[in-house]
Coordinates of all heavy atoms in Angstrom, one line a residue:
L62 N -13.2 -13.0 11.2 CA -12.6 -13.6 12.4 C -13.5 -13.6 13.6 O -13.5 -14.5 14.4 CB -11.3 -12.9 12.6 CG -10.2 -13.2 11.6 CD1 -9.0 -12.3 11.8 CD2 -9.8 -14.7 11.6
L65 N -15.6 -16.5 13.3 CA -14.9 -17.7 13.6 C -14.7 -17.9 15.1 O -14.8 -19.0 15.7 CB -13.5 -17.7 12.9 CG -12.6 -18.9 13.2 CD1 -13.2 -20.2 12.6 CD2 -11.2 -18.6 12.7
L66 N -14.4 -16.8 15.9 CA -14.0 -17.0 17.2 C -15.1 -16.7 18.3 O -15.0 -17.2 19.4 CB -12.8 -16.0 17.5 CG -11.5 -16.3 16.8 CD1 -10.5 -15.2 17.1 CD2 -11.0 -17.6 17.2
V96 N -8.8 -13.5 23.3 CA -8.2 -14.0 22.1 C -9.0 -13.4 20.9 O -8.4 -13.0 19.9 CB -8.3 -15.5 22.0 CG1 -7.9 -16.0 20.6 CG2 -7.3 -16.1 23.0
T100 N -7.3 -10.9 18.3 CA -7.1 -11.5 16.9 C -7.8 -10.6 15.9 O -7.2 -10.4 14.8 CB -7.6 -12.9 16.8 OG1 -7.0 -13.7 17.8 CG2 -7.4 -13.5 15.5
W107 N 0.4 -9.9 15.3 CA 0.7 -10.9 14.3 C 0.3 -10.5 12.9 O 0.6 -11.1 12.0 CB 0.2 -12.3 14.7 CG -1.3 -12.3 14.9 CD1 -1.9 -12.0 16.1 CD2 -2.3 -12.7 14.0 NE1 -3.3 -12.2 15.9 CE2 -3.5 -12.6 14.6 CE3 -2.2 -13.2 12.7 CZ2 -4.7 -12.9 14.0 CZ3 -3.4 -13.5 12.0 CH2 -4.7 -13.4 12.7
L109 N -2.3 -9.9 10.0 CA -2.6 -10.7 8.9 C -2.1 -10.1 7.6 O -1.8 -10.8 6.7 CB -4.1 -10.9 8.7 CG -4.8 -11.8 9.8 CD1 -6.3 -11.8 9.6 CD2 -4.3 -13.2 9.6
M112 N 1.0 -11.6 6.1 CA 1.0 -12.9 5.5 C 0.8 -12.9 4.0 O 0.9 -13.9 3.4 CB -0.1 -13.7 6.2 CG 0.1 -13.9 7.7 SD -1.3 -14.8 8.4 CE -1.1 -16.3 7.5
F121 N -7.3 -12.8 3.0 CA -7.6 -14.2 2.7 C -8.3 -14.4 1.4 O -8.3 -15.5 0.9 CB -8.4 -14.8 3.8 CG -7.7 -15.0 5.1 CD1 -7.9 -14.2 6.2 CD2 -6.7 -16.0 5.2 CE1 -7.2 -14.4 7.3 CE2 -6.0 -16.2 6.4 CZ -6.2 -15.4 7.4
R133 N -11.6 -22.4 5.7 CA -11.8 -22.3 7.2 C -10.5 -22.9 7.9 O -10.1 -22.4 8.9 CB -13.0 -22.9 7.6 CG -14.3 -22.2 7.1 CD -15.5 -22.7 7.9 NE -15.9 -24.1 7.6 CZ -16.6 -24.5 6.5 NH1 -17.1 -23.6 5.7 NH2 -16.9 -25.7 6.3
A134 N -10.0 -24.0 7.3 CA -8.8 -24.6 7.9 C -7.6 -23.6 7.8 O -6.8 -23.5 8.8 CB -8.5 -25.9 7.2
A135 N -7.5 -22.9 6.7 CA -6.4 -22.0 6.5 C -6.5 -20.8 7.5 O -5.5 -20.4 8.0 CB -6.3 -21.5 5.0
I136 N -7.7 -20.3 7.6 CA -7.9 -19.2 8.6 C -7.6 -19.7 10.0 O -7.0 -18.9 10.7 CB -9.4 -18.7 8.5 CG1 -9.6 -18.1 7.1 CG2 -9.7 -17.7 9.6 CD1 -11.1 -17.8 6.8
A137 N -8.1 -20.8 10.4 CA -7.8 -21.3 11.7 C -6.3 -21.5 12.0 O -5.8 -21.2 13.0 CB -8.5 -22.7 12.0
H138 N -5.6 -22.0 10.9 CA -4.2 -22.1 11.1 C -3.5 -20.7 11.3 O -2.6 -20.5 12.1 CB -3.6 -22.7 9.8 CG -2.1 -22.8 9.8 ND1 -1.4 -23.9 10.4 CD2 -1.1 -22.0 9.4 CE1 -0.1 -23.7 10.3 NE2 0.1 -22.6 9.7
A139 N -4.0 -19.7 10.5 CA -3.4 -18.4 10.6 C -3.7 -17.8 12.0 O -2.9 -17.0 12.5 CB -3.9 -17.5 9.5
V140 N -4.9 -18.1 12.5 CA -5.2 -17.5 13.8 C -4.4 -18.1 15.0 O -3.9 -17.4 15.8 CB -6.7 -17.8 14.1 CG1 -7.1 -17.4 15.5 CG2 -7.6 -16.9 13.1
Y141 N -4.3 -19.5 15.0 CA -3.7 -20.1 16.2 C -2.2 -20.5 16.1 O -1.5 -20.5 17.1 CB -4.5 -21.4 16.5 CG -5.9 -21.1 16.9 CD1 -7.0 -21.3 16.1 CD2 -6.2 -20.5 18.2 CE1 -8.3 -21.0 16.5 CE2 -7.5 -20.2 18.6 CZ -8.5 -20.4 17.8 OH -9.8 -20.1 18.2
S142 N -1.7 -20.8 14.9 CA -0.3 -21.2 14.8 C 0.7 -20.2 15.3 O 1.8 -20.6 15.8 CB 0.0 -21.7 13.4 OG -0.1 -20.7 12.5
P143 N 0.5 -18.9 15.1 CA 1.5 -17.9 15.6 C 1.5 -17.8 17.1 O 2.5 -17.2 17.6 CB 1.1 -16.6 14.9 CG 0.1 -17.0 13.9 CD -0.6 -18.2 14.4
D144 N 0.5 -18.3 17.8 CA 0.4 -18.1 19.3 C 1.5 -18.8 20.0 O 1.5 -20.1 19.9 CB -1.0 -18.5 19.7 CG -1.3 -18.0 21.1 OD1 -0.4 -17.8 22.0 OD2 -2.5 -17.8 21.4
R147 N -0.3 -19.9 24.0 CA -1.5 -20.8 24.0 C -1.9 -21.2 22.6 O -3.0 -20.9 22.2 CB -2.6 -20.1 24.8 CG -3.8 -21.1 25.1 CD -4.9 -20.3 25.8 NE -6.1 -21.2 26.0 CZ -6.3 -22.0 27.0 NH1 -5.3 -22.1 27.9 NH2 -7.3 -22.8 27.1
P148 N -1.1 -22.0 21.9 CA -1.5 -22.4 20.6 C -2.6 -23.4 20.5 O -3.2 -23.6 19.5 CB -0.2 -22.9 20.0 CG 0.6 -23.4 21.2 CD 0.2 -22.5 22.3
R187 N -7.5 -28.5 19.6 CA -8.6 -27.7 20.2 C -9.9 -28.0 19.3 O -9.8 -28.6 18.2 CB -8.3 -26.2 20.1 CG -8.1 -25.7 18.7 CD -8.0 -24.1 18.8 NE -6.9 -23.7 19.5 CZ -6.9 -23.0 20.6 NH1 -8.1 -22.6 21.1 NH2 -5.8 -22.5 21.1
L189 N -13.1 -26.4 17.4 CA -13.4 -25.1 16.7 C -14.8 -25.2 16.2 O -15.4 -26.2 16.0 CB -12.5 -24.9 15.5 CG -11.0 -24.7 15.8 CD1 -10.2 -24.7 14.5 CD2 -10.7 -23.4 16.6
Q198 N -9.0 -29.4 15.5 CA -7.8 -29.0 14.9 C -6.6 -29.6 15.8 O -6.6 -29.4 17.0 CB -7.7 -27.4 14.9 CG -6.3 -26.9 14.3 CD -6.1 -25.5 14.6 OE1 -6.0 -25.1 15.8 NE2 -6.0 -24.7 13.6
M200 N -2.5 -29.6 16.2 CA -1.3 -28.8 15.8 C 0.0 -29.6 16.1 O 0.1 -30.2 17.2 CB -1.3 -27.5 16.6 CG -0.2 -26.5 16.2 SD -0.2 -24.9 17.0 CE -1.8 -24.3 16.5
V232 N -0.3 -19.3 3.7 CA -0.7 -20.6 4.2 C -1.0 -21.5 3.0 O -1.9 -21.2 2.2 CB -1.9 -20.5 5.1 CG1 -2.3 -21.9 5.6 CG2 -1.7 -19.6 6.2

Side-chain angles (χ1 to χ4, degrees):
L62 290 174
L65 175 70
L66 294 177
V96 170
T100 304
W107 58 275
L109 287 173
M112 299 178 60
F121 288 105
R133 293 193 293 274
I136 294 172
H138 177 87
V140 169
Y141 292 109
S142 64
D144 194 331
R147 190 182 173 84
R187 64 172 65 242
L189 295 174
Q198 183 194 60
M200 186 176 298
V232 181

